[in-house]
Amino acid sequence: MSEATAVKNPLGTAPIGSLVRKYALPSIVAMLVGAVYNIVDQIFIGQFVGTLGNAATNICFPLTTSCIAISLLCGIGAASNFNLAMGRRESSDAAYYIGNGVTLAVALGTLLLIISQLFTDPLLMGFGSTADVLPYATDYVRVVSIGFPFLILTTSGGHIIRADGSPRIAMLSNASGAVLNVGLDALFVAVFGMGMTGAALATIIGQILSAIIVTVYLTRYKTVHLGLNHLKIKWKYTAKICSLGAASMINQIAMMVTQIALNNTLKVYGALSPYGSEIPIAAAGIIMKINQVFFSIVIGISQGSQPIFGYNYGARNYKRVRKAYAVAITSAAVVSIIAFLLAQFAPRPMLAIFDQGSEAYFEFGERFFRIFLFGMCVLFMQPITSTFFTSIGKPYKGIFMSLTRQILFLLPLIIVFPLIWGLDGLLFAGPIADALSFLCALIMIIFEFRTMKNQELTETPLD
């Protein structure tokens, strides 16, 4: 790309509101598709396999979270470096960030597949599986793990494609696989009665289709030319990819660690309650996946805003950076408030979609919805701010921000509160962690904006 062309990049000139809509909407769809994969499986499994099947998908969920973590490491890391490089007019380096990100995604996806196949049962027991749930979870993982390299390539590829200015193609690659997954779930689970194996098979076939679309697009990358030489791993580029992708990856790993702790806590303290172990694990898993739908919208807004943050910060156009953050945070706040209202006033209808279980299932599920997710109204601040810091090339702040809710606050509370208040203690850990992470993000962004205003006095925009 020539310097003259780079100056006309719409990321640096187009209205911020329209840019956020253009990039965020496809990103939201892409994130929702990831949630749909899990939710569609959960619905069919809940209706045709039952509560043990639902509990099994919750037990397996940390492996899916691992895929997302790797995808964000490679995709966000490559896209952030690409946008910063293009903003600085360094197009020759930008191509290597894309190529190395793709290679890293496929390699790490294959490694996760091997680990999942070799250590299936120990992993699932560590994730909190009971003896009754284990056979269902094993059947699911043995098949669904085959799709891990394809899922990771698709998800990371979405970020890379959006960085090239083609958010609709990124949306298409994810949506096509999701539609196929829904149809095959109905066929394999509802018609053929293939249970957990059928749901997993439907998932990986959809993921393969999405990965094919991503691969075809990468051969026709628009902004820079991608050759085979760009796919060869070079530490200079891989290290920077990992640096800027680490915050998003750590956020997912933190979610995975917290999910494992949550499952094990539900297993232990559920057994001491009138509900038993399986009902809390199944209900909590369903609720967390419903929450993932709303959280995916917030994450989609943050990831869709990432190219805007990165390009304009690289071009020293700090006023546009701040305006993009304001648009993103306002949009995410609206989504979080809507999710909060639904959690408080319509928990039972949402639970009934997944499982027509016992009254104990609905009783626990409604309490979990209303108490554990009470902090959803402020949940938007932490993910937007974490992605913001990563996008502007400040990975340490992004990493810290990504650790606040899950690791620094929620995980200790999940462990300590039940020791004092039993199963109820676990429920109240959620809103307290959400409030604390909100305050941390607010303080950090206020100080960052003050720094930016000082930079404006001494630095001239490049465009």
Side-chain angles (χ1 to χ4, degrees):
M1 172 183 285
S2 69
E3 186 169 324
T5 305
V7 173
K8 296 179 182 178
N9 192 315
L11 290 172
T13 58
I16 291 295
S18 62
L19 277 176
V20 171
R21 285 192 296 273
K22 176 183 176 181
Y23 281 86
L25 286 176
S27 183
I28 289 168
V29 172
M31 290 300 299
L32 285 174
V33 165
V36 164
Y37 273 118
N38 294 302
I39 284 180
V40 169
D41 282 353
Q42 191 95 49
I43 291 173
F44 279 98
I45 288 169
Q47 298 296 333
F48 293 95
V49 179
T51 300
L52 291 178
N54 270 332
T57 59
N58 186 26
I59 293 300
C60 300
F61 197 59
L63 287 174
T64 302
T65 306
S66 299
C67 290
I68 298 173
I70 294 171
S71 301
L72 296 180
L73 172 71
C74 303
I76 291 288
S80 296
N81 278 289
F82 175 85
N83 290 125
L84 286 168
M86 295 301 290
R88 295 190 297 260
R89 317 299 186 251
E90 299 168 354
S91 58
S92 58
D93 284 334
Y96 281 99
Y97 290 123
I98 299 301
N100 276 229
V102 170
T103 300
L104 192 63
V106 175
L108 292 178
T110 303
L111 178 61
L112 183 60
L113 160 61
I114 294 170
I115 292 172
S116 301
Q117 291 288 337
L118 291 178
F119 305 104
T120 305
D121 286 0
L123 285 171
L124 294 175
M125 292 301 294
F127 294 161
S129 178
T130 65
D132 290 339
V133 171
L134 185 60
Y136 295 88
T138 300
D139 288 346
Y140 190 74
V141 168
R142 289 290 187 192
V143 178
V144 82
S145 60
I146 296 171
F148 287 170
F150 302 100
L151 172 60
I152 291 171
L153 175 60
T154 298
T155 307
S156 59
H159 300 290
I160 289 169
I161 292 171
R162 281 191 293 274
D164 193 40
S166 300
R168 292 180 181 177
I169 301 297
M171 179 177 64
L172 173 66
S173 68
N174 285 275
S176 58
V179 171
L180 182 59
N181 178 45
V182 172
L184 292 179
D185 260 326
L187 182 65
F188 294 160
V189 180
V191 178
F192 294 160
M194 294 173 65
M196 304 297 292
T197 300
L201 186 60
T203 296
I204 65 171
I205 293 174
Q207 290 166 353
I208 290 171
L209 174 62
S210 295
I212 290 172
I213 295 174
V214 169
T215 303
V216 170
Y217 182 89
L218 291 173
T219 65
R220 296 169 171 82
Y221 211 70
K222 297 186 304 182
T223 314
V224 295
H225 171 71
L226 291 180
L228 292 177
N229 59 310
H230 297 124
L231 297 175
K232 184 178 180 180
I233 290 292
K234 293 188 177 183
W235 177 246
K236 171 185 176 181
Y237 301 105
T238 304
K240 290 184 177 180
I241 289 171
C242 293
S243 175
L244 293 190
S248 298
M249 179 194 71
I250 290 172
N251 190 45
Q252 290 295 318
I253 291 176
M255 291 174 63
M256 180 185 72
V257 171
T258 304
Q259 181 70 45
I260 294 170
L262 181 65
N263 287 343
N264 281 283
T265 302
L266 289 167
K267 176 181 175 181
V268 171
Y269 290 94
L272 302 176
S273 74
Y275 305 110
S277 294
E278 282 76 16
I279 285 177
I281 291 174
I286 290 168
I287 292 164
M288 297 308 287
K289 286 190 174 112
I290 294 173
N291 181 51
Q292 186 191 16
V293 172
F294 299 105
F295 199 61
S296 291
I297 300 175
V298 175
I299 295 293
I301 293 170
S302 70
Q303 292 177 0
S305 304
Q306 175 268 323
I308 309 168
F309 297 151
Y311 182 90
N312 286 284
Y313 193 86
R316 302 176 190 169
N317 198 334
Y318 302 121
K319 183 177 181 180
R320 284 178 64 83
V321 175
R322 292 196 302 272
K323 186 173 181 181
Y325 180 88
V327 172
I329 209 73
T330 302
S331 303
V334 172
V335 173
S336 295
I337 292 170
I338 292 172
F340 167 79
L341 294 174
L342 288 172
Q344 296 303 308
F345 298 106
R348 183 173 282 250
M350 290 188 285
L351 287 165
I353 295 172
F354 296 87
D355 193 344
Q356 297 294 332
S358 63
E359 184 58 32
Y361 158 78
F362 284 106
E363 180 183 323
F364 177 82
E366 290 183 42
R367 293 191 71 235
F368 195 100
F369 250 125
R370 291 190 171 115
I371 300 175
F372 192 83
L373 299 184
F374 188 80
M376 288 180 73
C377 54
V378 296
L379 196 56
F380 61 91
M381 194 79 174
Q382 181 259 347
I384 298 285
T385 306
S386 177
T387 299
F388 173 80
F389 282 120
T390 298
S391 302
I392 65 173
K394 298 189 176 183
Y396 295 115
K397 290 184 178 180
I399 289 171
F400 173 78
M401 197 65 253
S402 69
L403 290 173
T404 52
R405 179 182 184 267
Q406 302 289 340
I407 298 298
L408 297 182
F409 302 135
L410 185 56
L411 183 59
L413 295 178
I414 283 176
I415 295 171
V416 174
F417 277 15
L419 295 174
I420 305 171
W421 296 293
L423 203 56
D424 284 347
L426 184 149
L427 301 182
F428 285 98
I432 294 175
D434 291 337
L436 292 174
S437 66
F438 171 82
L439 290 175
C440 280
L442 183 61
I443 292 169
M444 289 182 68
I445 201 65
I446 288 173
F447 278 98
E448 188 62 36
F449 280 0
R450 287 179 181 174
T451 301
M452 272 191 204
K453 288 183 179 180
N454 291 331
Q455 288 175 289
E456 282 180 322
L457 301 176
T458 59
E459 299 179 11
T460 303
L462 296 178
D463 48 1

